[in-house]
Amino acid sequence: MKTTLLVAGLSAFMLAAPVHATDVHTRTIASTCFACHGNNGVSNGAIPSIAGLDKAYFVKTMQDFKSGARPASIMKRHASGYTDAEFVAMGDYFASLKK
Amino acid sequence: MTINRRDFLKVSGAGAASTLIAGCATQSAPTVAKASPKVVVVGAGFGGATCAKYLRTWGPNIEVTLIDPNDNFISCPISNWVIGGMKTMADITRSYDKLPSQYGVKMVKDYVVAIDTKARIVKTKGGGSFSYDRLVLSPGVDIRTDLVGGFKEAEAAGKVVHAWKAGAQTALLRKQLVNMPDGGVFVMSVPTVPYRCPPGPYERASLVADYFTKAKPKSKIILLDGNPDIVSKKPLFMGVWNTLYKGMIDYRPNNAPYRVNGDTMTVTTEFDEVKGDVLNVVPPQRAGAVCEMAGVRTAANDNWCPVNLTTFESTTTPNVHIIGDSVSAALPKSGHMANNMAKVCASAIVELLAGRNPDTVPVITNTCYSAVSDTKAGYVANVWRWEGAKGYVSQPDGGATAVPDELNKAYNESWASNIWSDVLG
Ligand SMILES: Cc1cc2nc3c(=O)[nH]c(=O)nc-3n(C[C@H](O)[C@H](O)[C@H](O)COP(=O)(O)OP(=O)(O)OC[C@H]3O[C@@H](n4cnc5c(N)ncnc54)[C@H](O)[C@@H]3O)c2cc1C
């Protein structure tokens, strides 16, 4: 019984498309930003919205937060937790969100 | 050929391997996808409501039932501002309406009283019975009023509150402070770690001091800390206590209350017996009672719930996930954290129910802003990345502000409004 279940699980893994993991990762890390930047990146109040930002502007901004080139109250602490590849992937996603 | 669990984990990739290294032997495998799998979420607070919303967003085929006895969402974050008189109860109360209307979450207003993890059924006080493929528990903390002698009697008589769950006690504490004469004494305690919201007690003491400074400047605050030192953002809080509120806050470390008397209005610790006009004792905490019903709250973990931290599945009981304050981990118990755990958990459940492997390198972040006066705030912020055998590793540049300012106060307020809309839609 146990073996059957595990084999069923195993074949399910094999059917999964390999690219999927990247999408799931991007979608999940991008969603962590919404805690501060608002539902789907549309903010209430002083924190800026990030929905619909131009991708190139977004990537440069995140790199500048991380390096310190753009001074920030809190974004250096958050931007430093992510890689350049993640900035690019998140950039595509945020650019696609409605302002 | 027989495949045993170890072989299975070897072939199923890095994620499962790191799970094994982390000692979480009970991660259940992805299941063959059903057309409409069922997830039941218990608790519509920061963790549970977020999880329900994101399960429906990322897994529209999933039937999500969210169970909570409350009519509205009442936020603990900003509740200290109500106690300090900067905000009202209405400001921290939000509707659940969008979860059913915009996200298709089935809301059930009831209290869970039993869980059968073998048959996978959740039972409620009102007689409801809900079956699940996966269960998510986010009940917050169970406040151990039983560990402080006399607390229950004094609480029933309205003579002491913890106000560590936002609601009627928040409003009562504010009222008691307003009614207290100038020159009165406010006695407050800090529970021993781990407890919900590490900076919370110090934020509360600061905002009550702000109120006293303006409205009743002869009053005093005695802060009895069960811990040897200030647990969170020490420079930030000490900074204002030694300047803005000089001489007002009497801070006493290693002083956990073990008795409270509502008739004499006294709080007793190992070293002290203090008298106050308003008593706010915050007892020690453990994982919510519903975790006990599912057998996932373990004495070996000091009554918190051990989980596989990449999926938040219980290490003792398959198909049960725990998020938020109830989790046993060296991570702060905050609303921001519960919200982030909920997303990692929802993402993993969507994948597992679709027969796929969850993200092997999840990221979790925290930010706790704390106001120290009606104009200034500071924060602590960190990003943790899952690094296999090392678990969650705190990334460089995380940390806390030592000096509060107006800008962070504005961001604090915006954060609250934004996280509420992220949690509730
Ligand atoms: C004074 C104070 C200030 C705070 N300030 C901040 C802050 O500034 N920033 C921050 O990030 N965090 C803050 N926190 C911490 C934050 O409130 C908690 O960490 C967060 O609420 C945890 O989320 P949760 O989902 O685990 O629990 P909760 O949000 O408490 O949700 C639990 C829900 O489960 C329900 N429930 C429990 N048992 C059952 C059952 N058997 N059946 C059905 N439903 C059940 C409850 O009704 C409740 O709605 C603060 C806390 C306090 C007390």
Side-chain angles (χ1 to χ4, degrees):
Chain A
M1 178 59 195
K2 203 167 186 185
T3 309
T4 325
L5 271 176
L6 290 176
V7 172
L10 188 59
S11 53
F13 273 142
M14 286 170 166
L15 292 173
V19 293
H20 195 87
T22 320
D23 297 332
V24 168
H25 180 71
T26 302
R27 149 190 106 183
T28 316
I29 56 172
S31 75
T32 68
C33 315
F34 298 156
C36 282
H37 286 284
N39 195 18
N40 290 317
V42 179
S43 173
N44 306 308
I47 297 177
S49 289
I50 54 172
L53 284 184
D54 172 71
K55 182 182 171 186
Y57 172 81
F58 174 84
V59 173
K60 171 89 170 46
T61 301
M62 294 303 283
Q63 287 167 338
D64 287 350
F65 280 140
K66 191 170 175 172
S67 70
R70 176 168 163 179
S73 68
I74 201 164
M75 275 307 296
K76 182 176 171 62
R77 302 197 185 274
H78 283 282
S80 296
Y82 302 87
T83 64
D84 277 347
E86 286 171 333
F87 292 155
V88 172
M90 281 195 275
D92 277 322
Y93 173 69
F94 289 126
S96 76
L97 297 180
K98 266 215 325 263
K99 281 191 197 184
Chain B
M1 177 185 127
T2 49
I3 299 180
N4 66 26
R5 175 137 201 109
R6 185 152 301 166
D7 291 330
F8 171 73
L9 287 168
K10 250 185 243 157
V11 292
S12 65
S18 55
T19 301
L20 185 66
I21 290 160
C24 306
T26 60
Q27 148 122 49
S28 56
T31 39
V32 179
K34 281 190 186 175
S36 186
K38 288 182 180 162
V39 178
V40 172
V41 182
V42 181
F46 277 84
T50 305
C51 195
K53 180 187 153 209
Y54 280 89
L55 279 166
R56 290 286 306 156
T57 305
W58 292 332
N61 64 318
I62 301 174
E63 188 185 315
V64 179
T65 304
L66 176 59
I67 309 175
D68 196 296
N70 293 336
D71 291 320
N72 295 301
F73 176 93
I74 306 181
S75 176
C76 280
I78 311 295
S79 70
N80 284 335
W81 300 30
V82 175
I83 291 163
M86 295 145 59
K87 292 280 177 192
T88 64
M89 287 304 289
D91 294 327
I92 61 167
T93 305
R94 286 286 181 278
S95 160
Y96 283 125
D97 288 354
K98 286 186 181 162
L99 291 175
S101 70
Q102 291 188 10
Y103 296 89
V105 173
K106 296 190 170 154
M107 294 279 304
V108 174
K109 189 174 132 46
D110 209 338
Y111 190 79
V112 171
V113 289
I115 298 173
D116 181 338
T117 55
K118 291 222 167 62
R120 293 203 226 135
I121 291 174
V122 172
K123 298 215 154 125
T124 59
K125 202 171 172 181
S129 183
F130 304 87
S131 66
Y132 65 84
D133 293 293
R134 288 194 178 257
L135 174 66
V136 179
L137 304 178
S138 192
V141 289
D142 184 11
I143 298 183
R144 303 294 307 271
T145 53
D146 56 316
L147 296 182
V148 180
F151 191 99
K152 285 184 183 171
E153 297 76 4
E155 184 185 35
K159 300 291 191 179
V160 67
V161 295
H162 53 72
W164 220 241
K165 295 187 179 188
Q169 291 202 348
T170 312
L172 178 58
L173 180 53
R174 174 64 194 159
K175 197 172 139 205
Q176 290 171 343
L177 291 166
V178 168
N179 292 340
M180 191 188 90
D182 190 10
V185 176
F186 173 54
V187 179
M188 184 187 167
S189 78
V190 185
T192 44
V193 291
Y195 63 89
R196 151 180 285 187
C197 195
Y202 311 105
E203 179 190 59
R204 181 174 293 177
S206 303
L207 296 183
V208 171
D210 180 74
Y211 167 64
F212 284 172
T213 302
K214 294 182 179 104
K216 349 195 128 156
K218 291 191 286 236
S219 308
K220 291 267 181 284
I221 298 173
I222 299 177
L223 188 54
L224 303 170
D225 198 330
N227 304 286
D229 201 353
I230 293 173
V231 172
S232 177
K233 294 184 251 190
K234 183 178 173 182
L236 181 83
F237 293 114
M238 287 301 270
V240 290
W241 295 356
N242 289 330
T243 53
L244 294 179
Y245 313 125
K246 203 167 171 49
M248 184 173 274
I249 300 176
D250 174 358
Y251 176 74
R252 304 185 189 176
N254 289 313
N255 242 317
Y258 67 85
R259 181 165 301 125
V260 57
N261 185 327
D263 296 328
T264 56
M265 293 299 279
T266 50
V267 178
T268 314
T269 73
E270 201 185 324
F271 304 106
D272 278 322
E273 183 164 271
V274 295
K275 239 175 131 55
D277 298 279
V278 177
L279 307 183
N280 180 200
V281 172
V282 186
Q285 294 152 28
R286 63 178 171 182
V290 73
C291 300
E292 179 76 36
M293 297 171 203
V296 297
R297 181 172 85 182
T298 59
N301 290 278
D302 231 5
N303 288 309
W304 302 99
C305 306
V307 294
N308 168 342
L309 287 161
T310 62
T311 61
F312 291 90
E313 185 168 356
S314 165
T315 56
T316 65
T317 313
N319 305 308
V320 179
H321 298 248
I322 305 102
I323 53 177
D325 291 345
S326 288
V327 168
S328 170
L331 297 167
K333 298 187 186 302
S334 75
H336 198 109
M337 207 68 189
N339 165 278
N340 274 225
M341 288 179 180
K343 290 163 183 170
V344 170
C345 176
S347 175
I349 288 177
V350 168
E351 295 312 290
L352 289 164
L353 289 175
R356 295 184 299 251
N357 209 2
D359 186 2
T360 56
V361 284
V363 180
I364 290 199
T365 76
N366 184 48
T367 304
C368 283
Y369 282 104
S370 297
V372 295
S373 73
D374 65 352
T375 55
K376 289 180 179 174
Y379 66 74
V380 57
N382 287 91
V383 176
W384 288 269
R385 299 184 68 100
W386 184 259
E387 295 184 3
K390 289 195 218 150
Y392 279 112
V393 176
S394 179
Q395 298 301 300
D397 295 323
T401 47
V403 180
D405 61 27
E406 282 84 2
L407 185 62
N408 279 307
K409 169 75 175 19
Y411 288 150
N412 187 352
E413 195 157 0
S414 178
W415 166 85
S417 173
N418 284 335
I419 198 166
W420 294 335
S421 75
D422 184 35
V423 172
L424 301 165

